[in-house]
């Protein structure tokens, strides 16, 4: 019984990171909000790992994990985008909050979908959160024009679709079955991270380094969509 406390405590750390990220987003501290989302992703990885290592899975832990994920990877990035767009679009920026609702739907489906033990059906909420965290970490001057703001709203609606789309997305759990695909993905990520890091150093803007997360998720989505729509050789 005591063993279950450890995974649940780690999950609660995830939830706390998400709650802090929501608060920081309302204060306009988007870079720090993204840092806490990444902290939540760190705890999200280790809560499941610790439960398996300690052999202490529990139904409560599963539900708690989904609740924490909806705060950290659903509400937090949605609130970041809302606060990021509001100076440009006013209350129309509230459309960004739809992502929180669709993230909750995606997490609920994940809990009852037996197909998602080794891979995902639909974009995982942590990946979606990292995508938007990187965008919202960029200087607000980038969306000084209304049309840029509406483009981001349109992207958020596409995110809502991808979260619940019947499109398979590989995970690192399926490494043995998708070695070539995962290796290709990791090489692409390495190139993107190095490019963004060099850009950050050259411009003295740390947020460009965080934008590498957006690039990696975009590469991940593109790769999976290509694998889904391109006919496989028989």
């Amino acid at each position: 019984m005591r063993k279950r406390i450890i995974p649940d405590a780690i999950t609660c750390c995830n939830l706390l990171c998400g709650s802090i990220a929501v608060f920081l987003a309302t204060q306009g501290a988007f870079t720090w909000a993204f840092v806490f989302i990444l902290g939540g992703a760190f705890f999200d990885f280790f809560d499941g790992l610790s439960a398996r290592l300690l052999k202490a899975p529990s139904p409560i832990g599963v539900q708690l994990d989904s609740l924490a994920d909806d705060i950290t990877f659903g509400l937090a990035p949605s609130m970041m985008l809302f606060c990021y767009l509001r100076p440009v679009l006013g209350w129309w920026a509230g459309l960004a909050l739809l992502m929180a609702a669709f993230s909750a739907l995606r997490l609920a489906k994940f809990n009852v979908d037996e197909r998602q033990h080794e891979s995902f059906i639909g974009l995982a909420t942590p990946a979606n959160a990292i995508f938007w965290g990187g965008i919202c970490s960029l200087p607000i001057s980038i969306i000084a024009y209304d049309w840029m703001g509406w483009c981001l709203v349109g992207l958020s609606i596409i995110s809502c679709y991808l979260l619940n789309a019947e499109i398979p997305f590989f995970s690192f759990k399926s490494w043995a079955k998708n070695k070539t695909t995962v290796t290709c993905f990791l090489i692409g990520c390495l190139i993107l991270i190095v490019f963004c890091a060099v850009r950050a150093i050259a411009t003295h803007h740390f947020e460009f380094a965080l934008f590498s997360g957006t690039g990696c998720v975009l590469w991940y989505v593109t790769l999976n969509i290509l694998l889904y729509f391109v006919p496989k050789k028989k």
Side-chain angles (χ1 to χ4, degrees):
M1 186 66 178
R2 291 181 179 179
K3 290 182 179 180
R4 295 179 182 177
I5 296 175
I6 296 175
D8 290 349
I10 296 174
T11 302
C12 287
C13 289
N14 172 14
L15 193 151
L16 287 171
C17 283
S19 300
I20 294 171
V22 171
F23 170 74
L24 290 171
T26 63
Q27 303 303 305
F30 302 118
T31 299
W32 280 107
F34 185 30
V35 169
F36 275 93
I37 287 177
L38 293 176
F42 174 83
F43 289 118
D44 183 53
F45 174 79
F46 281 102
D47 63 358
L49 180 63
S50 64
R52 290 189 293 271
L53 290 176
L54 295 172
K55 296 181 180 180
S58 69
I60 292 178
V62 172
Q63 301 306 318
L64 181 61
D65 183 64
S66 292
L67 290 170
D69 285 355
D70 193 35
I71 296 296
T72 305
F73 310 126
L75 179 59
S78 300
M79 186 61 71
M80 283 181 70
L81 185 58
F82 166 64
C83 296
Y84 188 69
L85 293 177
R86 191 179 171 193
V88 178
L89 300 182
W91 288 106
W92 284 108
L95 292 171
L97 297 175
L98 287 171
M99 279 198 303
F102 280 88
S103 295
L105 179 60
R106 192 263 180 277
L107 290 163
K109 289 170 64 177
F110 177 81
N111 285 348
V112 299
D113 194 340
E114 296 296 327
R115 299 173 297 169
Q116 301 193 53
H117 291 301
E118 294 186 355
S119 61
F120 303 114
I121 304 297
L123 182 64
T125 53
N128 185 61
I130 290 172
F131 176 84
W132 287 106
I135 288 179
C136 295
S137 295
L138 294 175
I140 192 69
S141 58
I142 290 178
I143 59 162
Y145 302 100
D146 289 358
W147 68 270
M148 282 294 296
W150 283 111
C151 284
L152 291 181
V153 169
L155 272 177
S156 72
I157 293 173
I158 293 174
S159 286
C160 291
Y161 165 73
L162 289 175
L163 285 166
N164 294 278
E166 287 291 311
I167 299 174
F169 285 79
F170 66 82
S171 75
F172 290 107
K173 294 179 182 178
S174 58
W175 170 275
K177 297 179 181 179
N178 301 285
K179 288 183 180 179
T180 303
T181 301
V182 176
T183 301
C184 182
F185 169 68
L186 291 175
I187 292 173
C189 287
L190 180 61
I191 294 171
L192 288 166
I193 290 170
V194 170
F195 174 80
C196 290
V198 171
R199 175 74 173 172
I201 294 171
T203 60
H204 301 287
H205 287 292
F206 172 67
E207 56 269 15
F208 282 113
L210 294 176
F211 187 71
S212 62
T214 299
C216 290
V217 174
L218 186 59
W219 168 229
Y220 174 69
V221 171
T222 301
L223 188 58
N224 279 282
I225 289 177
L226 286 174
L227 290 172
Y228 178 70
F229 286 106
V230 174
K232 296 181 180 180
K233 295 181 180 180
K234 294 184 179 180

